Amino acid sequence: MPPGKGSMTEGPQRLNTREGDLPPATARAVGLAGLSLVWERLWPRLALAFLLLGTFLALAWLGAFERLPAVLRLALAGLFVAAFLASLVHLLRTPWPDRRQAADRLERGVPHRPLSAFLDHPSTTGNPSADALWQTHRRRLAASIEGLRAAPPSPRLDRADPYAVRAAVFLMVIVGFFATPDHLGSVTAVFRPPVVAPPDIRVDLWANPPTYTGQSPRALVTTSNGTVALPEAASVTVPAGTTLVARLAGVGLPMVTFAREGQPPLPIEGRVPAQGQTAYEYRLASSGTLSLAGDGLPAIDLPIAVQADAPPTIRLVEQPAATARGALRLAYSVTDDYRVAAARAILSTDAEDGARPLVALPDVSLGLPRRGEDRAVATSDLTAHPLAGSRVRLALEARDDAGQVSETPPLAIDLPARPFRNPLAAAIVEQRRLLASDARQAKTVAGTFETMGDLGAAFINRPGEIIGLRVARNRILHARDDAELKPVLDYLWQMALAIEAGDSSPAAQRLAVAREALKNALENGTSPEEIARLTEELKAALDEYLKAMAEAAAGNPSRLGDLSQKGGERITSEDLKKLVDRMRELGELGERDAAAELLSQLDDILSGLQFARPQTGDASDPTLDELADIIRRQQELQNRTHKLTPDGYTGEEFGDDSGDQQALQQLQREQSALSRRLEELMSRLSKGPQNGGESGKDGLEGAGRAMQDAGRDLGSGDPESAVGSQGAALDALRRGAREMMRGQEQGTAGVRDGGTDPLGRPTGRRGPDFGDGTKVPGEIEVQRARRLLEELRRRYADPDRPALELDYLRRLIAPF
């Protein structure tokens, strides 16, 4: 093999041939020169491999490959790999230098090339004189080459890369390394095979439950870019009447089918056009399996169980009864698995064969229970109906939003009638009932009125009443058919009312009209402004009615405040007016259910209302009176303290921070004085013989501690904690007062105990009102609700708030 053409594996043997002839220093220099020559040959080829690798890494880390189409990206990556492999082959085939080449590298630039001459061989051997001369020549050359030193390697990359591309590649590698967080992922992404694009199809399937269920729409299947999202549960349960909605968009739409149990699958029908989409709606009537199949999508089978809607249930929880004014009172329970749409009481008569009733009984609309409750009470004043007092059948009926109806078995009851104290009025109403139940009784009723008019002069004081009886008799006899008999029923009722109530009858009618108008407004969701107007009309009608009652009872309107109920519980006209005012406030706040409950309580109050008469020997207990005054003062302090809290602050006390501090100091002084007053009362109770003092001791002591806590909270400037302590003091005061009342009543014969009146106050006692047990929202609650509503309206009026928040605020304010 010619010199310089050997491979790397052959190079070391050739380089070391006869190396021992050289002086040691020169041999080391030749070896170093050979290594330098190896590096000069190896480094340019190694730099080429590094240059290719660096270029590839820089482009991968900088994301250049990601911007190329998949085919071009893979082709370019293949070229880089091929070039890199070729550079490695070229690197491995680097020629290894021999000793001659290393010597040439060592004596490069030395005159006369002494090392090459030393390594030469004589052309002939065996001549002693020639051999001696050659050895002398070599000794002289050995002395001259001992000073040779190997020069450092000089690869001269500038010749292979005259434009310094290597520097640009190095800079790109540094930038790319710090530009990407995932170095390995960026490299492997270059070799990612092309992904087959998923079908351009989007499928959305969801279930829309009926509105009355209160459930939100539920997503069943969602596909996008070839991915499918399914519910976590293996099957889905939806209420009956749910609408299955499917929206499909793209090319090559899949088929959506629904298979009822035991039946073959059928395509969903009911296509609804939609912009750029194909939409379907299908009402689920029974359980089955929803299937979705199409090219590029996995087959989907989703079992759907349809839960049947249960019919509502309704029943009486108490026997039907009559109020003091004769109104029909029904206490009932009505429930449904979702929501009851309406309920009513159906009244019917057992008419005899051949009977001709002039009027039919109306259905009574039943209000629905409050949220979270299943019981309700409805009162219906049917005393003015011609069939009042008759034996009728009562059935309760409930209907849900799904149209299912439940009805109770008929119950025979006596329809309540208005009690008439005047015998003549009662007789007229009874004849009216007979005529209304059967028109065939017309002659009999007319004969009765004729007898009463002819023979009643002895007990009828007013001539107008006798004339009214004769007019009724003539109208009945001259009626040609049932249509002309019906107006007589109204005439008889008006005459009976006039005879019974005298001058107060028109006022009672106006009160009934105002009450009915307000009731309808609350049930029909009328605006708060209209409810406020109707409440004011009810208040005016109530005032007029109370004046008429006072004039009719004693001829003295000044006794208007001296009212009581038939059970002996005293109320005043101011109590009734406050009840109506609270009703108006609740209506303005949108609490229609609470306002309707107060209206029902007002009916109960008026049902048993009578004018109290002066009683002798009914001395009140001064201790209880003083305790009632302490409770009233404590309630006032709590209301004033609440106005200084963030929830109740109105700025009405003083209007600035210094004024608030003065108000707190004043409240602290009044609270301390009230606490001392309670201590003095407790001291008198412990020393005196008052009956019942020991019974309320625990409650009053607890009230005293709570009052002291409230005083300390006010002194430290903490009105919120003070309100809580004052509330605890009120509860303890009322508890102690009730215990004292109970201790006194145990020694009093004939005193009725138990229950509360319609104003929420305990009944069956003659003591003062402690303000306990009321079911009407208090002043603090109403103020807090009003401030909350005002804040909601203020935020809703801000146009800079996000649209989503404004929509939420609108839905919050809508009921008001």
Side-chain angles (χ1 to χ4, degrees):
M1 181 177 294
K5 300 298 182 180
S7 65
M8 281 190 175
T9 57
E10 300 173 345
Q13 287 82 3
R14 299 192 59 188
L15 181 62
N16 294 329
T17 301
R18 301 184 64 186
E19 191 172 312
D21 296 342
L22 292 174
T26 304
R28 286 194 298 271
V30 171
L32 292 176
L35 292 177
S36 298
L37 189 59
V38 169
W39 180 249
E40 291 174 354
R41 294 180 177 180
L42 189 64
W43 175 240
R45 304 186 183 208
L46 187 62
L48 176 61
F50 284 153
L51 183 66
L52 292 172
L53 180 61
T55 303
F56 176 79
L57 293 177
L59 294 177
W61 289 342
L62 292 174
F65 289 103
E66 296 180 2
R67 297 176 175 83
L68 299 177
V71 176
L72 182 59
R73 169 173 55 81
L74 292 176
L76 187 59
L79 290 177
F80 268 101
V81 171
F84 182 71
L85 293 177
S87 67
L88 292 180
V89 173
H90 184 58
L91 176 64
L92 294 176
R93 299 189 63 179
T94 302
W96 197 272
D98 57 13
R99 189 177 62 170
R100 176 65 66 178
Q101 293 172 342
D104 292 343
R105 170 70 171 76
L106 180 61
E107 65 180 359
R108 186 180 300 165
V110 178
H112 308 296
R113 301 174 58 85
L115 182 57
S116 298
F118 182 82
L119 295 177
D120 285 342
H121 302 280
S123 60
T124 61
T125 59
N127 188 345
S129 57
D131 292 341
L133 182 61
W134 179 254
Q135 292 299 328
T136 303
H137 175 66
R138 286 186 56 128
R139 285 194 294 270
R140 187 173 57 251
L141 290 175
S144 64
I145 63 177
E146 287 183 356
L148 294 177
R149 297 292 182 269
S154 177
R156 298 300 304 271
L157 283 180
D158 53 330
R159 296 177 179 177
D161 183 19
Y163 299 104
V165 176
R166 59 190 182 278
V169 172
F170 177 76
L171 181 61
M172 290 172 58
V173 170
I174 297 299
V175 173
F177 181 82
F178 290 101
T180 179
D182 187 8
H183 304 94
L184 182 60
S186 300
V187 173
T188 57
V190 177
F191 300 97
R192 185 178 60 247
V195 179
V196 178
D200 187 15
I201 298 175
R202 179 174 180 85
V203 179
D204 293 307
L205 297 174
W206 68 90
N208 280 345
T211 306
Y212 65 83
T213 63
Q215 298 182 6
S216 302
R218 182 177 182 180
L220 300 180
V221 180
T222 300
T223 66
S224 180
N225 296 328
T227 60
V228 180
L230 295 172
E232 296 181 357
S235 62
V236 177
T237 301
V238 296
T242 297
T243 301
L244 186 64
V245 180
R247 291 190 180 274
L248 300 84
V251 181
L253 298 180
M255 178 177 291
V256 182
T257 61
F258 186 80
R260 298 182 180 180
E261 293 180 348
Q263 298 183 9
L266 296 175
I268 291 182
E269 299 178 352
R271 177 174 295 187
V272 179
Q275 184 176 3
Q277 297 179 343
T278 301
Y280 302 90
E281 290 186 0
Y282 180 75
R283 187 178 180 86
L284 297 176
S286 61
S287 302
T289 301
L290 176 67
S291 300
L292 177 67
D295 295 336
L297 292 176
I300 299 173
D301 292 317
L302 180 64
I304 299 179
V306 176
Q307 185 176 13
D309 186 88
T313 61
I314 186 170
R315 62 183 179 87
L316 288 169
V317 296
E318 297 177 9
Q319 286 295 322
T323 64
R325 298 183 65 186
L328 177 62
R329 183 181 183 275
L330 298 174
Y332 52 93
S333 171
V334 57
T335 59
D336 187 61
D337 49 357
Y338 295 111
R339 187 180 65 184
V340 179
R344 63 174 180 167
I346 303 174
L347 298 171
S348 59
T349 59
D350 289 328
E352 298 178 359
D353 294 338
R356 300 198 334 259
L358 291 180
V359 292
L361 286 168
D363 294 338
V364 178
S365 177
L366 301 179
L368 301 180
R370 288 186 177 185
R371 184 178 301 174
E373 300 179 1
D374 61 351
R375 295 190 176 189
V377 176
T379 57
S380 180
D381 189 357
L382 299 176
T383 54
H385 195 275
L387 295 179
S390 303
R391 190 73 171 175
V392 300
R393 290 179 299 176
L394 169 68
L396 303 186
E397 180 187 272
R399 178 177 55 82
D400 62 11
D401 288 280
Q404 301 188 89
V405 178
S406 295
E407 186 174 328
T408 62
L411 176 67
I413 64 169
D414 292 326
L415 191 63
R418 173 173 177 169
F420 285 88
R421 299 180 179 86
N422 189 292
L424 180 58
I428 293 175
V429 171
E430 177 61 21
Q431 295 302 312
R432 171 177 177 258
R433 185 184 66 80
L434 293 176
L435 179 61
S437 61
D438 191 356
R440 296 179 302 175
Q441 301 290 332
K443 292 184 178 180
T444 302
V445 173
T448 302
F449 285 151
E450 183 177 7
T451 302
M452 293 170 61
D454 292 341
L455 303 179
F459 61 88
I460 299 178
N461 299 325
R462 298 181 182 180
E465 296 173 356
I466 297 176
I467 296 174
L469 292 173
R470 292 177 178 174
V471 170
R473 176 248 181 201
N474 292 335
R475 292 184 63 176
I476 294 174
L477 293 178
H478 290 87
R480 290 171 295 184
D481 52 23
D482 292 351
E484 294 186 358
L485 279 177
K486 288 183 180 179
V488 179
L489 300 177
D490 294 334
Y491 173 78
L492 294 176
W493 179 251
Q494 297 299 328
M495 184 169 60
L497 291 179
I499 294 173
E500 173 72 13
D503 296 335
S504 65
S505 180
Q509 293 180 7
R510 283 190 288 273
L511 178 62
V513 171
R515 183 258 178 206
E516 191 66 22
L518 180 58
K519 177 184 177 183
N520 294 334
L522 293 174
E523 292 178 350
N524 298 329
T526 311
S527 64
E529 293 78 9
E530 181 66 14
I531 291 177
R533 184 186 68 80
L534 294 175
T535 306
E536 291 299 325
E537 292 182 359
L538 176 63
K539 188 175 181 181
L542 177 62
D543 186 61
E544 184 180 354
Y545 173 72
L546 294 176
K547 289 181 180 179
M549 285 188 65
E551 293 173 355
N556 185 6
S558 63
R559 294 181 58 214
L560 181 58
D562 191 16
L563 300 171
S564 70
Q565 287 193 280
K566 293 181 180 180
E569 299 83 12
R570 294 180 179 274
I571 61 174
T572 66
S573 60
E574 291 301 321
D575 291 332
L576 299 179
K577 293 179 181 178
K578 288 181 180 179
L579 187 64
V580 177
D581 289 338
R582 185 59 53 81
M583 197 185 310
R584 175 179 54 80
E585 293 176 351
L586 293 174
E588 292 176 350
L589 293 174
E591 294 289 341
R592 296 186 177 90
D593 291 340
E597 183 177 350
L598 291 185
L599 183 60
S600 178
Q601 293 180 8
L602 179 62
D603 289 343
D604 292 339
I605 295 173
L606 296 177
S607 297
L609 195 64
Q610 64 182 14
F611 281 82
R613 297 181 180 177
Q615 299 179 2
T616 59
D618 184 19
S620 61
D621 188 341
T623 301
L624 292 177
D625 289 341
E626 183 175 0
L627 184 56
D629 186 63
I630 292 176
I631 293 175
R632 181 182 59 80
R633 293 290 305 278
Q634 183 62 72
Q635 182 67 64
E636 293 177 355
L637 285 176
Q638 186 190 34
N639 292 338
R640 290 167 57 191
T641 305
H642 177 261
K643 293 181 180 180
L644 298 177
T645 64
D647 288 338
Y649 181 76
T650 59
E652 297 176 357
E653 292 289 334
F654 291 91
D656 53 18
D657 294 339
S658 62
D660 290 348
Q661 292 297 327
Q662 297 177 14
L664 289 173
Q665 295 174 3
Q666 178 65 25
L667 289 172
Q668 181 189 15
R669 290 192 291 269
E670 295 182 18
Q671 184 67 72
S672 300
L674 193 61
S675 178
R676 290 192 297 271
R677 183 179 173 186
L678 177 62
E679 293 177 357
E680 295 174 358
L681 176 62
M682 293 173 61
S683 177
R684 292 198 302 271
L685 287 174
S686 62
K687 296 178 181 178
Q690 287 89 342
N691 192 14
E694 291 296 327
S695 301
K697 181 178 179 181
D698 294 340
L700 297 184
E701 289 179 350
R705 291 190 295 270
M707 285 182 173
Q708 294 174 2
D709 293 340
R712 285 192 293 270
D713 293 334
L714 291 171
S716 61
D718 187 2
E720 293 185 77
S721 299
V723 168
S725 300
Q726 290 169 339
L730 280 172
D731 293 339
L733 285 171
R734 289 165 178 162
R735 185 172 63 255
R738 287 194 298 269
E739 294 173 353
M740 291 177 61
M741 286 286 296
R742 191 176 299 110
Q744 290 185 355
E745 291 173 355
Q746 288 176 355
T748 305
V751 177
R752 178 170 57 89
D753 184 18
T756 59
D757 68 3
L759 287 175
R761 303 173 302 190
T763 60
R765 72 183 184 199
R766 295 184 181 274
D769 178 18
F770 300 117
D772 53 346
T774 179
K775 298 178 181 178
V776 181
E779 179 182 355
I780 292 177
E781 288 77 8
V782 173
Q783 288 181 1
R784 184 180 292 112
R786 182 179 289 110
R787 288 179 59 83
L788 178 60
L789 182 58
E790 291 175 354
E791 178 64 18
L792 290 175
R793 288 172 174 166
R794 184 189 67 79
R795 295 188 180 187
Y796 182 65
D798 185 2
D800 296 331
R801 294 186 176 275
L804 183 62
E805 181 181 355
L806 292 176
D807 180 68
Y808 176 68
L809 293 172
R810 178 186 61 77
R811 287 186 280 111
L812 287 178
I813 299 174
F816 303 106

